[in-house]
Amino acid sequence: MALAHTNSQSKLTATGLLVTLGIIYGDIGTSPLYVMKAIVGNKIITSDLIIGGVSCVFWTLTLITTVKYVILTLKADNKGEGGIFSLFALVRKSKLKWLAFPAIIGGSALLADGLITPSISISSAIEGLRYFNPDIPTIPIVIGILFGLFFIQQFGTSFIGKFFGPFMLVWFLMLSVLGVNMLFTNLEILKALNPYYAYNLLVNYEYGFVLLGAVFLCTTGAEALYTDLGHCGRKNIRASWILVKICLVLNYFGQGAWLLNRTGSNLEGHNPFYSIMPTWFLFAGVLIATIAAIVASHTLIKASFTLVNEAVRLDFGPKLRIVFPSEIRGQIYIPTVNWVLCFGCISVVLFFKESSGMVNAYGLSIILAMMMDTLLFSIFLYNNRVSAFLISLFLIIFLGIENSFLIANLHKFLHGGWVTLLITCFLIWCMFSWNKARKIRNRFVEFVKLKDYLKILTELSHDISIPKYATHLVYMTSTNSSEEIESKIIYSVFQKQPKRADIYWFIHVDVVDEPYTMDYEVHEIINDKVIRINFKLGFRIEPRINILFRKVVKDLVANNEVDISSRYYSLSKNNVIGDFRFIVIEKYISNENVFNFYQRLVLGSYSFLKLFALNEGKAFGLDTSLVTIEKVPLILNPVGKIDLKRLE
């Protein structure tokens, strides 16, 4: 399998375990707030329903969360990082053209899930206040909490983050104590450990199979175990999951015991989660549940930022403004994503009003993400020479289980599931069209041999009849080869206002499959005249070229490989550093093109998404005072013969 990550996060420590509790288990840890309520719904409580439902929950947590994610998928360690885009970067070396599709579908589904998790978790917690006042308006409270949560993201959460771990430990211990306290009131619920009762519910109970849609909610946070692998390390996740699963199972069994004691009745608006609490503890329980829901929402928002950043770096989306609110590695803030999620979450609350309504919109998209994980992980197993028999067994078992959950969730479509599915489809199209349009554009970029222009480039540098444009002229180039250059750059240097400079620099950024690689190569094509720098940056590294280039130049000067002093006599004798100017060529689709319907649709979507993207200069982290953006037309399908006649 993949090599273990060798940083401090891969070590099993008490601090690591505590941090893991605060970062990873928010979503799956708050599922007891609504799972049993969703399973029972308005149905009459029976022994078969409750024991079978709890049995389904137990075995779902065991098979999907424990076996698939904790034991197996965490092995797909991309230099210590996890998540569907990290997995895609790990397996795309196999050159299978279709691998981008499961990555796009899975990533889109996870982002769509980001609109439901904060809404349903916080709504479920706040609705506990109705035990004190049935008429209390919960919607304004939920919206207020959501807005405050999204508002504070811009300031960073390093201080608050230190509070998450200890608090989630309190939360899970509370779940276990409440569960054990109620468990002993009806030990019959322990029959749920036998998988027969899960089978009996699905096969013999009326609409039993459909209940899998509600059961699935207990494992919706399982993907987070893998997504946040880089923050916590495999050993800490596996060790902490033992405690988390025990606490979750005890609470589910406790809720099951409470329900068994009410056989023959229905919930009548009660939530089993709050009903197992002693009356004197209820207010504290609601408060703790609300904070736990906020923690769950925060971790999901943070994961959305990471997911979008990875998608951008892998060329699945437009470059967006990214802010680094703290010095903590990997902590980022993307304003556009933050406020879109905020608007989406508030819209979900206003549309569904109750957490019971949100349940119908929850799960349909996330199961797609899990299925895509299964497909990509099977490729990982194949690349690591695992036997075909074991890979087939893995696919049969987990695709079989996940297909069952998908079919069971389909009934939610007309009752709200269409919301997240529609958002998922929209995001899929955005990622696909961006990626496809970039490939179409790149296919028509013309490259020329750099060596054919070196002589005239040298002569231009010494031609004093042309005003000097800059001491150091820097171009961003997309070609991987140091022997080639875009024809548009040659046009910019020689024809579009000839640009005389003392040293010409060509910078190329190569996004590699490892997450945190930061390497560079220097090719001195003509001594002290033409220099090319290749940056190799991981897909989680922000390409702040202004800073990186300055560091490279400093190293070259220290090694006496280049002289960056001004070439003007009055400045040179006083050791003044020469000026640097960046030229970024931004291509746009020319009106001279003729496209078919499919191309117009893809490129039209690309043009629309470009409206929200940073320009190339800002995307590369360049100082705008030193950057010139040159727009050039890109002609992909030129207009054919024009029948234009001259009149006498």
Side-chain angles (χ1 to χ4, degrees):
M1 296 294 178
L3 295 174
H5 190 40
T6 57
N7 63 16
S8 59
Q9 294 169 327
S10 66
K11 298 178 181 178
L12 181 62
T13 63
T15 302
L17 291 172
L18 202 59
V19 169
T20 302
L21 287 177
I23 290 178
I24 287 183
Y25 298 110
D27 191 358
I28 199 168
T30 53
S31 295
L33 279 165
Y34 45 79
V35 169
M36 292 308 299
K37 181 182 178 182
I39 290 174
V40 177
N42 296 321
K43 296 179 282 293
I44 298 297
I45 298 172
T46 65
S47 176
D48 286 345
L49 173 63
I50 302 308
I51 295 177
V54 173
S55 184
C56 284
V57 168
F58 175 78
W59 287 103
T60 298
L61 288 173
T62 299
L63 293 173
I64 296 294
T65 314
T66 305
V67 177
K68 179 188 170 183
Y69 280 100
V70 175
I71 295 177
L72 295 177
T73 310
L74 288 185
K75 292 179 179 290
D77 177 348
N78 189 348
K79 303 294 183 182
E81 295 298 325
I84 192 160
F85 286 131
S86 291
L87 182 56
F88 166 71
L90 195 63
V91 302
R92 68 173 173 174
K93 297 174 184 177
S94 56
K95 304 300 182 183
L96 296 173
K97 293 182 179 180
W98 56 268
L99 286 180
F101 290 100
I104 288 172
I105 294 170
S108 300
L110 288 171
L111 287 172
D113 178 54
L115 296 177
I116 300 295
T117 298
S119 306
I120 192 174
S121 299
I122 294 175
S123 294
S124 297
I126 293 299
E127 286 167 9
L129 293 173
R130 290 176 179 166
Y131 280 84
F132 304 99
N133 181 358
D135 299 321
I136 189 169
T138 59
I139 293 178
I141 300 174
V142 173
I143 291 176
I145 292 174
L146 284 171
F147 181 80
L149 178 63
F150 283 101
F151 180 76
I152 66 170
Q153 296 298 319
Q154 62 189 301
F155 302 111
T157 52
S158 56
F159 173 75
I160 301 175
K162 297 175 183 178
F163 167 74
F164 286 173
F167 176 80
M168 291 306 290
L169 178 61
V170 171
W171 167 255
F172 286 115
L173 291 177
M174 183 193 83
L175 292 182
S176 62
V177 171
L178 292 174
V180 169
N181 183 55
M182 189 56 63
L183 175 64
F184 284 103
T185 65
N186 197 327
L187 292 175
E188 185 184 4
I189 192 62
L190 293 177
K191 291 180 180 179
L193 293 171
N194 187 339
Y196 164 78
Y197 291 95
Y199 170 82
N200 180 62
L201 176 73
L202 300 179
V203 174
N204 298 321
Y205 187 82
E206 185 180 12
Y207 305 118
F209 186 79
V210 176
L211 289 178
L212 280 179
V215 170
F216 180 70
L217 299 176
C218 75
T219 192
T220 50
E223 221 279 341
L225 303 179
Y226 181 45
T227 301
D228 284 317
L229 174 62
H231 290 98
C232 304
R234 186 189 306 154
K235 293 180 181 178
N236 287 315
I237 293 174
R238 286 177 171 171
S240 60
W241 172 243
I242 297 172
L243 170 67
V244 170
K245 185 183 178 183
I246 290 172
C247 294
L248 289 173
V249 168
L250 287 174
N251 193 266
Y252 284 124
F253 274 66
Q255 291 186 48
W258 181 85
L259 289 164
L260 282 179
N261 293 333
R262 281 146 188 82
T263 302
S265 62
N266 57 36
L267 285 179
E268 298 178 346
H270 291 283
N271 185 338
F273 176 79
Y274 288 116
S275 297
I276 66 175
M277 293 182 181
T279 305
W280 60 267
F281 183 73
L282 193 55
F283 182 79
V286 172
L287 180 62
I288 295 173
T290 301
I291 298 175
I294 292 172
V295 172
S297 301
H298 166 76
T299 53
L300 190 135
I301 295 167
K302 178 176 60 65
S304 297
F305 295 156
T306 301
L307 201 65
V308 170
N309 185 45
E310 290 180 0
V312 169
R313 302 291 291 128
L314 291 171
D315 224 1
F316 289 140
K319 295 179 175 67
L320 303 172
R321 177 171 170 256
I322 296 177
V323 179
F324 298 84
S326 76
E327 297 299 319
I328 296 178
R329 178 182 179 179
Q331 185 173 112
I332 60 176
Y333 168 69
I334 306 178
T336 303
V337 176
N338 185 70
W339 294 113
V340 168
L341 282 176
C342 180
F343 174 78
C345 288
I346 291 174
S347 298
V348 165
V349 172
L350 292 174
F351 182 79
F352 289 104
K353 296 181 173 60
E354 300 285 333
S355 62
S356 55
M358 298 174 201
V359 165
N360 290 322
Y362 200 32
L364 195 52
S365 62
I366 198 69
I367 187 61
L368 292 176
M370 289 188 172
M371 294 174 74
M372 298 306 106
D373 280 340
T374 301
L375 290 175
L376 291 177
F377 185 71
S378 67
I379 303 299
F380 169 80
L381 294 175
Y382 176 80
N383 290 346
N384 282 272
R385 304 182 185 280
V386 175
S387 72
F389 171 76
L390 291 178
I391 295 174
S392 300
L393 186 63
F394 171 80
L395 287 171
I396 290 170
I397 292 174
F398 290 104
L399 279 184
I401 294 173
E402 288 160 356
N403 268 305
S404 298
F405 279 125
L406 177 63
I407 294 170
N409 272 290
L410 288 177
H411 81 281
K412 296 180 177 181
F413 181 81
L414 295 177
H415 303 285
W418 62 268
V419 174
T420 48
L421 210 56
L422 183 64
I423 295 169
T424 300
C425 290
F426 173 74
L427 292 172
I428 288 172
W429 175 250
C430 287
M431 290 190 190
F432 170 78
S433 59
W434 182 271
N435 185 260
K436 186 67 175 178
R438 294 282 289 187
K439 289 180 179 178
I440 292 174
R441 285 160 49 91
N442 292 340
R443 197 163 63 238
F444 289 91
V445 174
E446 183 181 353
F447 297 100
V448 295
K449 294 294 183 181
L450 181 57
K451 67 179 182 180
D452 295 339
Y453 297 91
L454 293 179
K455 182 175 182 293
I456 188 173
L457 198 62
T458 303
E459 292 175 353
L460 173 63
S461 178
H462 295 123
D463 187 351
I464 60 174
S465 67
I466 299 174
K468 184 180 289 188
Y469 191 83
T471 303
H472 300 272
L473 188 58
V474 188
Y475 278 92
M476 303 299 302
T477 174
S478 62
T479 175
N480 293 317
S481 172
S482 59
E483 297 179 355
E484 292 183 330
I485 199 72
E486 291 97 319
S487 61
K488 297 298 182 184
I489 292 180
I490 296 299
Y491 173 80
S492 171
V493 174
F494 296 128
Q495 293 174 276
K496 190 174 184 178
Q497 183 191 349
K499 298 175 178 64
R500 182 165 72 92
D502 293 305
I503 300 180
Y504 294 91
W505 302 78
F506 299 113
I507 297 179
H508 172 68
V509 178
D510 183 21
V511 179
V512 299
D513 293 336
E514 290 75 19
Y516 291 110
T517 297
M518 290 183 70
D519 299 326
Y520 73 90
E521 300 171 335
V522 178
H523 299 275
E524 195 166 13
I525 299 170
I526 297 180
N527 183 40
D528 212 29
K529 186 62 62 183
V530 181
I531 302 172
R532 176 184 167 108
I533 299 173
N534 293 330
F535 286 106
K536 296 181 181 295
L537 303 180
F539 61 86
R540 283 198 172 185
I541 297 295
E542 181 68 11
R544 292 187 281 184
I545 299 304
N546 212 47
I547 297 173
L548 298 176
F549 178 62
R550 191 182 305 136
K551 173 66 168 64
V552 172
V553 171
K554 184 179 179 180
D555 290 346
L556 293 176
V557 171
N559 294 331
N560 294 317
E561 295 179 68
V562 69
D563 178 12
I564 64 169
S565 61
S566 176
R567 304 303 165 91
Y568 295 105
Y569 174 74
S570 60
L571 300 178
S572 177
K573 70 178 185 179
N574 290 291
N575 296 320
V576 176
I577 295 175
D579 60 303
F580 284 80
R581 178 161 292 279
F582 290 84
I583 303 288
V584 177
I585 295 179
E586 197 169 88
K587 309 175 194 70
Y588 66 90
I589 307 297
S590 171
N591 291 328
E592 296 182 25
N593 292 289
V594 177
F595 299 118
N596 58 36
F597 174 78
Y598 170 72
Q599 290 173 324
R600 286 200 306 271
L601 190 60
V602 169
L603 293 171
S605 300
Y606 175 84
S607 298
F608 173 74
L609 292 172
K610 281 279 287 184
L611 298 175
F612 303 95
L614 296 174
N615 65 44
E616 293 295 326
K618 291 182 179 178
F620 283 118
L622 299 175
D623 187 338
T624 53
S625 65
L626 301 174
V627 178
T628 298
I629 305 291
E630 289 188 357
K631 294 183 179 291
V632 297
L634 189 62
I635 301 176
L636 310 182
N637 292 328
V639 177
K641 181 180 179 181
I642 301 175
D643 295 324
L644 183 64
K645 297 180 180 179
R646 176 179 175 178
L647 299 176
E648 296 298 333

